Each structure stands twice: as structure tokens, then as C-alpha cells.
Amino acid sequence: MIQAIGLTSDPRKELPPAVDDVSFEARAGRVTALLGASGAGKTTVLRLMLELQRGRGITYFRGRPLHRIAHPSREVGVLLGDLPGHPSRTVRGHLRMLCAAAGVPARRADEVLEVVGLVSLREERLGTLSRGMDRRLGLACALLADPHTLVLDDPAGGLSARESRWLYGMLHAHATQGGTVLLTTADPKQAARTADRVVTLQRGRLIADQEAADFARTRLRPRVAVRTPHASRFAALLTKEARTAHRSVEVVRESGNRLSVYGTTCADVGEIAFRHGILVHQLADEIGDMGPGTEAGPRTAEPRACEVPQAPDAALAATGGRRRKAAPPPAPDSGRTGTDEQATVREVPQEAGREPAAAATDGQEACAEVPQARAGGPRPAGAPTGGSRTPDAGSRSSGSSAVALPDLPPPISVRPAPSPLRPLRYELRRAVGVGTSFATGAAVLVVSALTAVLLARVGHTPQHRLMAAWPQQLPLPPAAIGAGLLGAIAFGDEFRHPALAADRGTVPRRLGLLAAKLLVASATALVLAVLTVGCDTEVLYLVYGRELAEVPAEWLSLSASWIGLMVGCAWAGVLAAGLFRSTTAGLAAVVSVPVVVVPLVQKAFEGPSVRTAAGFPLRLREVLLSQWPFGGERYLEAAARVVAQPVGGALTLSLTALLCAYVLTTLRSRVR
């Protein structure tokens, strides 16, 4: 059950808030539709409910706000807008990555793919999916962690009629098993057909909260659309005829020469036009708006053409010699006073034997093709019951035979305790799921090998710089820049294709996720460092012989410096991209370390008040009286030499500042 209380968005400048004091409930076992025209505030309400936008008010999901729920994806499945994901990632790879983030088994991806009918497309790229397949995959992502509540923003937008029927059937199947479904739509007719309860918004305010039957009877009203050059005269004649016959008819003057007539039929309107000699350009039955007086966006009415009778006798003959009495319209939401062009609308009992949503006109399309089964109706064969979902007793029966609902994925158990391997599995699947990392690594190896060959040809380059392909003119070698770029991509892709942001807005600032990214970036930088030196050495040996491929005498300290530089650049890229939310900012932070920070550190060390660190390794050996096993003091000395160098000191200082800033923003977001 969802309880939204006093949702109000923060106003922008002099504009009123987009949502103002909206409160409603969405009960378990039912489908609730949030209805409103474009700009009514539907999406803003969902974002306020999910704590994605700042404002006032609170929303309880089964008695708890979302920030108090340990596993939000287990409680709420969300689909807002298009599916966020890297376009080069496969469908199955994307779901398996989200499985690792949610703490569910990887086989869950195959289960939901089978349910939504995407098994044959599991190896397709996200960028190649059509709109309908994208919606199916979005629903699969929402169902991945077996949530109790589904919150969907215009899930059927842009879908065909067949795909919409399938989607609403899935939502009804979820509600049948005791889940809660909240969706938004701008189509009143679709809301009346597919929802159990309709909550109507207008200009950010709640104007109606009704059962679907009451909504269809009071707000979804049939009308006759008329276009005539004599609109004012014809409106007065229709009102006069209605008063003479003591019938409840409402005539509304639309823009231009259009009239909307409520409470009558095409035949009656055509007869009046014929008797009084009024030229009519259009005459059609329509249904699908919320009646006059409500602010609706583009009309979703479905007009049905009807013949204009040539004479009253012809109309009588068409009905078998007896004139059918038009069903008066139901009462509107607000009272209206009759004028010369508009009569008062009164509520009358609807025609017997009709469903409320279909009591508009005789020719209205039936709703049998949309699944109408609810809790208490027949369950799909073999469909299991959700772990914490209980069927709701308040169900809406269908007027015809119930349509079989599709099967849902089986319930699963999510480990309640957080696992340190969960973010690590997610990061590994994220990194290897697309070819960006592999392409970047291959490009770095090629550029580094070519640079080493050119440096050897020019000469005057030390051996250790030659093997790292590090010219004196460049602040960083190609391998270090590549490591920094891979580290920046680790967080940059999260903000560019926010796969984790569907249920919590921005990319979550979690120390576990940061540790996983730093660990994977370290491993990637280490592999890249070894491959770069190995490839450069082999290329130098093939081109120039053994003379330029000899190992330097101080290989231990040089290796420590090289590995420290690569890992430090990768970490700087990760931290800067996570802090500034951009891959470009992460790479810029990597390059700025030797360009900006190193000169400052050198200037600080050259000052008269600062003692030199040249003898730091010797003093360290004197402090450590006992010898370390396996010669461990040598590696400690190599690390100390790296830190004592200007580049090492600048990199250490930069990493410390970035890490402290990231931790500070993480703690600050948690306090909020």
C-alpha cells in the first residue's frame, strides 16, 4: 500500500509549485492510475514519492518511507522515462549487472526475460531495441528483485494497442497476486478501462480520487462533436429543443466553429439541424475526454462517424419505427448554471445491463480485450504467490469471462544482510559488459609501442622512460592517461547511463560501491602497466635488438614507481569522476596532477624551511630494527621513494583531497 501525504514541490523563482498538497492512497491488490494532461504534475508526484526531487510531504510504502527501507529495489520497482542503460550493452548483460546490484541470483535475468518475452532478443544491444521492446525490458528491470510495489510513469506511451494490452495484463497479474501498482497516464479512456482507481490531477492539484466505475460515470462522458458555420445559432436551438422536451442536454462552444453536445445522440442532433436548415460540416460521436470544464491536453477522443439523417421519417425508419430516447448524461464534478448556449446537466441512472466504462454510446468499442481479472478471480496456471504479497479482497469483477493473465516470475529470496561482494560483482559485470575498456586498453598499447619506437629512433631517452614510452615533453605517459581514462569511465558511465538511478535518482554515493570501483580500477591499471612495459620491450627488441630491451639495474624501485603512478592515475580518475559526475572532469583531474600540483609540491620542497626527504629510506631502515621476512623492507623502501618523489607526493596529496571530498559529500547526502 502506498500513502502519499501532502506532496508539494519546491517553487522555482516566481512560479507556483508544480505539485501542491497532493495526498492519495494506492492499495495493495489494485491498479491505481494517476491521470492528468501534460504538465499536470504526474511525473513530479512520482519523483517526490521516490525522493528523487526535493519538496515537502512524505510517502509511505507499506508504512515506511523509502529512505528507511534497507533494500528499496526489493520493495519498489520503478520505471521512469526510457530505460537507462549503455546502448552497447546486451539485454541479458544489463539484467545480470542489475542482479548483482540488487543482490539476486544471476539466473533471475533469464526468468524475467522469459516472462516479458525477450528471450530471443537477450543478445541484442540496448541501442537497437524498439519502443515496445524497451518498455518490456523496463518492466523486466522493475520486476527483477520481485518488488511488492510497481511505480511506472506512462508505461504504455508510444506502444501499439497489442503491446498496451500485454503490458496492462502484466500489471493486473501483479496486482492479482497482492502487489500494488501505480501508473500515470494522460488517456482518461485507458485509465477507466485498465485501472481500479483513478486519481485525477489538474495544474498540480488533486481534483478527484474515484473508483474506476465512478470515474467513468461522472467524468468520462460521451458527446456529439458538431462543426458548423452557424455554431452560435445551432447551440441556442439545441438548448431550446432540450428545454422544450424536458431533457438534460449540455452544449459547450469549443474553439472555432466546433460544438460539443452532451446528453444526446447523432440522430437527434442531425434531425434538429435538418429541420432548421443548418449546414453541418461534421457530426460524430466521441468519448475520451473528461468533459467540459477540465483542462485537458491533446484530446484522446475516438470519433465515430454517423450519418446525418435526410428527414425525420428516415431516422424513424432506421430505428424500426420508434425513436430511441437518448440517455441523459451523468452529473459533472462542479455545478453549472444554464445559459442560452448551455443547459444544466443532471445525473440520471445509467442504462441497465451496461458496464460503467462502456455506458457511453451504443457504438462504443467494448473493453473485453483488455484483461479485467482482479484479486479473487482465476489465477494463471502455475503462477506462484509472492513472498510478502497477499491478495486484496476488494476486486473488480469483469462483465464478461475473465481473460487469462500472464505468468509472473517466481518469487525469490534476497539476502537481508549486505554483502561486500555485491558491489564488486556489479562493477565487474559493468566493466566487462561493454567493449569500451578493451578498446581503450588496445589503443593504449598501440600508442605506447609506437611512441617507444619513435623515442628510441630519436635517442637521448633514459632506458626506464623508453620502456614506459614516456617522453620528457609529456606530463604523463600514454599508459597513465589510459589508466586515468578507464578510472574516469567507471563513474562517468554511471552518470551518463544511470542504470542504478532508476529507484534512487542520482547514482548512489556509497562507500562500498566506491571501494569496488577502486579495486577494479587498481586491477585494471596493474594489468595495463604490465602489458604496456611488456609490449614496449618486445617491440623494441624486434625493431632494435637486445640492446634497448635490457632490464634496468634499479628495476624494483622503478617498478614500484610505475605501478604507483598507474594505480594513482586510475584512482584519481575514479574519485574525480564520482565527485564531479563527469568522465571529462575525471580525466582533467588526472592530467592536472603533473601540470598543476607537481610544480606546487616542488616549490614547497625547495623551500628553506623544509628538510629534504632524500635520506628517508635510510632513516626508515634505522627505525625498523628487525628485518622483515622475505625482504619486505625493500618493497617498503621502494614505496617510500615513490612518495618522496615530487610526482608521487603530488599524486598522494591529490588522492587524499579527492577521497576526503567524496566521503564528505557521501556523509552529507546521508544526513539529508
Side-chain angles (χ1 to χ4, degrees), residues 465-540:
R465 279 184 169 266
L466 188 63
M467 299 180 68
W470 190 353
Q472 297 284 353
Q473 296 79 11
L474 294 181
L476 289 174
I481 297 177
L485 177 60
L486 291 177
I489 291 175
F491 255 127
D493 274 352
E494 300 285 4
F495 296 102
R496 187 177 180 185
H497 310 288
L500 292 180
D503 59 344
R504 299 299 295 166
T506 183
V507 176
R509 293 186 182 275
R510 299 170 184 166
L511 297 181
L513 182 62
L514 175 63
K517 290 186 178 296
L518 291 178
L519 183 59
V520 173
S522 301
T524 304
L526 182 60
V527 171
L528 189 61
V530 174
L531 290 178
T532 300
V533 173
C535 290
D536 293 348
T537 304
E538 289 295 328
V539 170
L540 290 174

Side-chain angles (χ1 to χ4, degrees), residues 213-466:
D214 297 334
F215 170 79
R217 186 179 68 250
T218 60
R219 299 186 65 80
L220 193 65
R221 302 191 296 163
R223 67 174 182 264
V224 178
V226 184
R227 289 189 183 275
T228 172
H230 311 288
S232 300
R233 178 188 169 201
F234 193 34
L237 289 174
L238 290 173
T239 304
K240 181 178 179 181
E241 291 278 347
R243 289 176 177 174
T244 303
H246 300 285
R247 295 172 53 191
S248 180
V249 175
E250 182 179 3
V251 183
V252 178
R253 178 75 180 274
E254 305 286 353
S255 60
N257 55 1
R258 175 187 170 96
L259 296 176
S260 293
V261 186
Y262 297 85
T264 185
T265 62
C266 273
D268 293 337
V269 174
E271 290 176 7
I272 296 174
F274 177 78
R275 287 200 306 266
H276 295 276
I278 295 179
L279 178 63
V280 176
H281 291 163
Q282 179 193 10
L283 190 61
D285 283 330
E286 290 184 353
I287 186 171
D289 67 341
M290 293 181 290
T294 58
E295 183 182 14
R299 294 186 180 273
T300 58
E302 297 182 3
R304 296 188 300 106
C306 58
E307 297 181 359
V308 180
Q310 300 299 325
D313 295 338
L316 291 174
T319 58
R322 53 187 174 82
R323 181 169 300 181
R324 184 183 60 192
K325 184 177 180 181
D333 294 317
S334 58
R336 295 182 182 275
T337 58
T339 62
D340 292 339
E341 296 185 4
Q342 182 172 328
T344 305
V345 181
R346 296 187 297 272
E347 182 179 359
V348 295
Q350 63 184 9
E351 189 175 349
R354 290 280 183 95
E355 287 293 325
T361 57
D362 292 342
Q364 183 178 349
E365 181 183 359
C367 304
E369 59 185 358
V370 180
Q372 297 289 344
R374 297 292 187 272
R379 262 175 209 260
T385 305
S388 60
R389 297 197 285 252
T390 56
D392 188 15
S395 62
R396 185 176 63 170
S397 61
S398 175
S400 58
S401 60
V403 180
L405 297 177
D407 293 336
L408 288 175
I412 57 174
S413 59
V414 181
R415 296 178 181 178
S419 172
L421 297 180
R422 183 186 305 174
L424 183 59
R425 285 196 297 264
Y426 164 79
E427 179 60 21
L428 286 174
R429 291 174 181 171
R430 185 209 61 80
V432 302
V434 295
T436 304
S437 301
F438 302 103
T440 303
V444 167
L445 294 179
V446 172
V447 172
S448 181
L450 294 178
T451 304
V453 171
L454 293 177
L455 289 177
R457 184 178 181 85
V458 173
H460 309 292
T461 302
Q463 181 67 18
H464 63 279
R465 279 184 169 266
L466 188 63

Side-chain angles (χ1 to χ4, degrees), residues 117-182:
L118 291 180
V119 176
S120 60
L121 301 178
R122 59 186 176 183
E123 299 302 328
E124 294 291 328
R125 306 291 178 180
L126 297 185
T128 63
L129 297 181
S130 63
R131 175 68 175 178
M133 297 302 102
D134 185 84
R135 294 285 90 183
R136 287 175 181 259
L137 182 57
L139 184 59
C141 295
L143 294 172
L144 198 61
D146 193 20
H148 176 272
T149 303
L150 292 179
V151 178
L152 313 172
D153 186 17
D154 194 15
L159 300 185
S160 63
R162 181 179 179 181
E163 291 172 333
S164 298
R165 288 194 298 269
W166 172 88
L167 177 63
Y168 286 118
M170 287 291 298
L171 300 182
H172 288 314
H174 182 82
T176 299
Q177 297 193 15
T180 304
V181 178
L182 176 65

